[in-house]
């Protein structure tokens, strides 16, 4: 994902460090891109970084890491310490 969205990854690294999540700040640099969210909402720019969990919640080992960007919303779904989904809402299209 770093090659595809370098500005987003740099922002996530900074925000994760600020949130006291140094391990995730390192991991996000090499997280894979599994595709864009297909929810169809025009305000959603979210990215899958792991395979889909199925038709329900992630289950045991899941936690949500809310971040504080200057614009919009950024939240990470982390499953057993690995970033599985980057929720990106109310932000301009990714470049």
């Amino acid at each position: 994902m770093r090659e595809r969205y370098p500005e987003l990854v740099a922002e996530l690294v900074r925000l994760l460090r600020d949130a006291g999540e140094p391990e995730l700040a390192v991991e996000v640099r090499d997280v894979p891109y599994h595709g864009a969210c297909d929810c169809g909402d025009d305000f959603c720019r979210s990215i899958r970084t792991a395979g889909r969990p199925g038709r329900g919640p992630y289950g045991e080992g899941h936690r949500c890491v809310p971040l504080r960007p200057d614009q919009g919303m950024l939240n990470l779904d982390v499953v057993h310490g690995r970033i599985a989904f980057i929720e990106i809402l109310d932000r301009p299209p990714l470049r």
Side-chain angles (χ1 to χ4, degrees), residues 40-73:
D41 290 331
D42 63 350
F43 57 86
C44 180
R45 312 279 182 257
S46 300
I47 297 170
R48 289 189 320 275
T49 59
R52 295 177 187 250
R55 294 201 57 159
Y58 285 101
E60 188 176 327
H62 171 258
R63 69 184 179 108
C64 181
V65 179
L67 300 174
R68 300 184 65 125
D70 292 333
Q71 181 180 19
M73 288 179 52

Side-chain angles (χ1 to χ4, degrees), residues 2 7 9 18 26 33 39 49-50 55 61 68 76 78 84 89 93:
R2 182 176 23 179
E7 291 174 9
V9 170
D18 291 349
V26 171
Y33 178 82
C39 71
T49 59
R55 294 201 57 159
R68 300 184 65 125
L76 303 182
V78 178
L89 303 175

Side-chain angles (χ1 to χ4, degrees), residues 5 7 12 22 28 34-35 39 41 51 53 57 61 64 66 74 84 87 92 95:
Y5 301 118
E7 291 174 9
L12 288 169
V28 77
H34 279 260
C39 71
D41 290 331
C64 181
L74 288 173
E87 183 180 34
R95 299 182 258 143

